[in-house]
Amino acid sequence: MDLRSRSPAPALDPPAPLNPQTRGPWTPGLRRTERGLNRSYRGTFRSPRPSPKSGQADGTGEESLHLDIQKLREKKDMLDEEISQLISEGYRVDELEDHIAQLHEYNDIKDVGQMLLGKLAVIRGVTTKELYPEFGLDMND
């Protein structure tokens, strides 16, 4: 077979247009939109952080800070009361910390088990749901 008689492979980029675009060269993987569709994105940049309000220089910012401090103190008092109630019911902080650590370990082990079930399901060409009965697992586990 003569390779010279074959047509050349299609180019990755389309052929250049007869009347060139004013927006620059075509870039693979970059989607361009028609002019006017994204006007909302062409406005001035707005930071996600709130800008200082105009009245804050004359003391309203300080009032706001005092209000925030008061709310935090109230929340602290509420949490202290909750802690006192739990202690009076017989809970101990070190016991709760140990319980939380055990829950983290359990979740890590469960994640590994789910990952292994998923890999086994792929190898066997079945769903993980189909493997649950084989290993004596409940769907709610």
Side-chain angles (χ1 to χ4, degrees), residues 94-114:
D94 57 335
E95 199 176 87
L96 292 173
E97 288 174 353
D98 183 50
H99 185 71
I100 290 169
Q102 288 178 0
L103 284 172
H104 283 296
E105 186 177 353
Y106 167 80
N107 285 331
D108 291 342
I109 292 169
K110 184 177 177 184
D111 290 344
V112 169
Q114 291 292 328

Side-chain angles (χ1 to χ4, degrees), residues 106 110 114 132 135-141:
Y106 167 80
K110 184 177 177 184
Q114 291 292 328
Y132 271 57
F135 293 97
L137 299 173
D138 183 21
M139 285 304 297
N140 297 325
D141 284 342

